[in-house]
Amino acid sequence: MAAPEQPRHPVPDHIPEHLREAFATTSGGDIPKHCPYQLGDAVQRHGFPGNLPGHAQTGFRGWVVATVGSTILTGITTDGEEWWEYWGDLDPDGQPVNIWRWCTCCRETWLPLVRAHYAKQRAAGEQLDLFGQEVAS
């Protein structure tokens, strides 16, 4: 008796050719209509140093494929790796970087923004700490 074939998810056109098979065969069910992300949406998971090892520390960019339970989505990363995350931990990919989040995955993007922020303050004669409090001279 042959093993049942795994259901295949429809692959949106914007998924790169080399990731189409991984996208189609990622496990999971249909995404509910009330979910903020739908099939093929580009998302990002920010990683933070104090989190558990894995994507919670490193972060990733990828696409939504399916749901696993009521609030957990699954998908593939831009490297073709499968992920499972609460949809509240995801952000739309391409969202501007928040310079006060200090995530590990956006360091190359936010570090110049932070430096520019402090350079602008120094040029204006202000000295504020990270929390916007004036620094005593």
Side-chain angles (χ1 to χ4, degrees):
M1 181 172 202
E5 191 173 314
Q6 181 175 348
R8 296 178 64 84
H9 299 283
V11 182
D13 292 338
H14 64 274
I15 303 301
E17 187 67 37
H18 67 286
L19 296 174
R20 289 177 174 267
E21 186 65 19
F23 189 99
T25 57
T26 296
S27 60
D30 293 334
I31 301 170
K33 294 201 183 310
H34 67 274
C35 178
Y37 304 103
Q38 294 298 314
L39 179 78
D41 284 354
V43 294
Q44 180 174 3
R45 165 60 154 111
H46 292 280
F48 298 94
N51 286 346
L52 294 172
H55 290 138
Q57 273 189 3
T58 61
F60 68 85
R61 284 187 159 83
W63 297 277
V64 174
V65 177
T67 186
V68 181
S70 60
T71 59
I72 299 174
L73 294 175
T74 186
I76 61 167
T77 68
T78 54
D79 297 328
E81 184 180 351
E82 190 172 3
W83 55 263
W84 297 34
E85 296 288 341
Y86 289 104
W87 70 44
D89 290 340
L90 299 171
D91 290 312
D93 193 24
Q95 183 171 317
V97 175
N98 179 344
I99 65 173
W100 305 119
R101 284 192 69 184
W102 302 98
C103 62
T104 57
C105 52
C106 297
R107 182 175 171 79
E108 292 78 27
T109 306
W110 62 252
L111 193 55
L113 294 173
V114 169
R115 288 182 177 145
H117 173 77
Y118 286 123
K120 183 178 176 182
Q121 284 183 341
R122 283 191 301 277
E126 300 173 8
Q127 282 192 329
L128 303 177
D129 66 12
L130 289 176
F131 305 104
Q133 304 297 318
E134 193 164 335
V135 176
S137 313

